[in-house]
Amino acid sequence: MQTNRFKARLAEGRQQIGIWSMLADSNAVEVLTQSEYDWILLDTEHAPNELPTVQAQLRTVAQGDVCAVVRVAANDPVLFKRVLDVGAQTVLVPMVDDVGAAERAVAAVRYPPAGLRGVSVATRANRYGLDADYLQRANDEVCLLLQIESLEGLRNLQAIAHVPGVDGLFVGPSDLAAALGHLGNPKHEDVQRAIFGALERCHEVGKPIGILMTDPALAARYLQAGFDYVAIATDIGILRSGAEFHLAQARLATADVRRD
């Protein structure tokens, strides 16, 4: 079985910069992974990503050095089993609010007797049976990341982080902003106070924590403050901003011609 490089870097304390993919397209993933990001998030919660497209994207990611993280749509053991079997090594789980939810997630990514993940001896994850050590190593190599994005999750953050088998936490700034009464405004000082508080409390118990932030100034602040893994852009955002930039440039050029 291949070593989970993303998990190994977290254990080493190496900060990792990532990018978020929501277009559910292997071509977009191929372009993104030709840049030197440390990790890429393949989203199935807020993107039209189904298992065959996730598998195709994982194959694309495997062509290079970028590590894949797959966000499942919910804390559901069937969803975990399916993405793990097609080759995901690192899984991000949304909306984890308490210890019970964390324990369910841990059980879902581990084979018995440590958990309840179903066993198949021939999947893409073990190269269709060629990796004879997969069943013995998978529990150690799979990386489990849990999202904290509610008031209850914030209250229980350190207890969640303490659950054995949880490898790291992740702040969801948009949902957290909504929970704090600032829907659509993750930059609000109340939200930022909660985010930096989550960073401090997570590090107090010795667990890494990550975040997504596409605002360059805020992303830089999070990196400088010590967030362990930060996604700094999304494929949709890059496509939209690039399209708008080139259109604005063309309109400026047209306006200059008309003035002449």
Side-chain angles (χ1 to χ4, degrees):
M1 181 183 180
Q2 289 187 339
T3 298
N4 186 334
R5 291 178 289 115
F6 180 86
K7 184 174 184 176
R9 290 169 186 163
L10 285 185
E12 294 166 1
R14 292 172 57 184
Q15 195 172 58
Q16 301 183 78
I17 297 175
I19 191 163
W20 206 268
S21 182
M22 300 178 66
L23 288 173
D25 183 84
S26 292
N27 292 314
V29 168
E30 186 170 30
V31 173
L32 296 176
T33 53
Q34 288 172 356
S35 297
E36 294 183 356
Y37 287 92
D38 296 302
W39 60 282
I40 183 169
L41 187 287
L42 308 178
D43 196 5
T44 74
E45 183 192 16
H46 289 298
N49 241 346
E50 301 299 337
L51 197 65
T53 55
V54 172
Q55 178 173 257
Q57 291 161 63
L58 287 170
R59 285 194 174 112
T60 300
V61 175
Q63 297 173 13
D65 295 326
V66 181
C67 297
V69 178
V70 177
R71 179 162 71 171
V72 293
N75 192 355
D76 181 334
V78 175
L79 299 180
F80 284 77
K81 175 172 58 179
R82 300 190 79 201
V83 299
L84 291 171
D85 281 354
V86 298
Q89 284 190 309
T90 301
V91 181
L92 177 63
V93 189
M95 290 291 180
V96 176
D97 294 333
D98 54 35
V99 167
E103 290 174 341
R104 290 193 297 275
V106 171
V109 301
R110 292 188 167 192
Y111 287 123
L116 49 78
R117 179 183 172 188
V119 179
S120 175
V121 298
T123 64
R124 182 177 179 273
N126 64 13
R127 293 194 302 156
Y128 306 100
L130 286 179
D131 290 343
D133 62 345
Y134 182 85
L135 295 178
Q136 288 70 44
R137 293 185 57 196
N139 285 1
D140 293 327
E141 293 297 340
V142 168
C143 181
L144 180 65
L145 310 172
L146 306 181
Q147 280 193 244
I148 304 299
E149 43 192 344
S150 70
L151 297 182
E152 186 178 2
L154 275 181
R155 286 193 296 270
N156 295 322
L157 182 147
Q158 287 178 306
I160 292 169
H162 267 303
V163 172
V166 173
D167 296 298
L169 301 186
F170 188 90
V171 177
S174 295
D175 282 296
L176 187 57
L180 290 168
H182 304 292
L183 179 64
N185 185 17
K187 297 180 184 180
H188 192 280
E189 61 181 14
D190 292 344
V191 184
Q192 291 305 304
R193 189 179 304 113
I195 288 172
F196 283 103
L199 168 67
E200 181 178 353
R201 292 168 61 209
C202 198
H203 281 178
E204 282 177 358
V205 297
K207 284 289 173 71
I209 186 168
I211 194 167
L212 164 66
M213 178 48 63
T214 59
D215 178 272
L218 263 183
R221 281 186 63 196
Y222 295 152
L223 288 164
Q224 291 162 1
F227 272 89
D228 301 278
Y229 56 110
V230 180
I232 60 172
T234 70
D235 51 6
I236 290 176
I238 291 170
L239 182 62
R240 183 182 62 243
S241 62
E244 291 175 351
F245 171 80
H246 287 288
L247 178 60
Q249 294 295 106
R251 284 177 172 165
L252 281 174
T254 302
D256 289 341
V257 170
R258 287 173 180 169
R259 282 195 295 270
D260 292 343

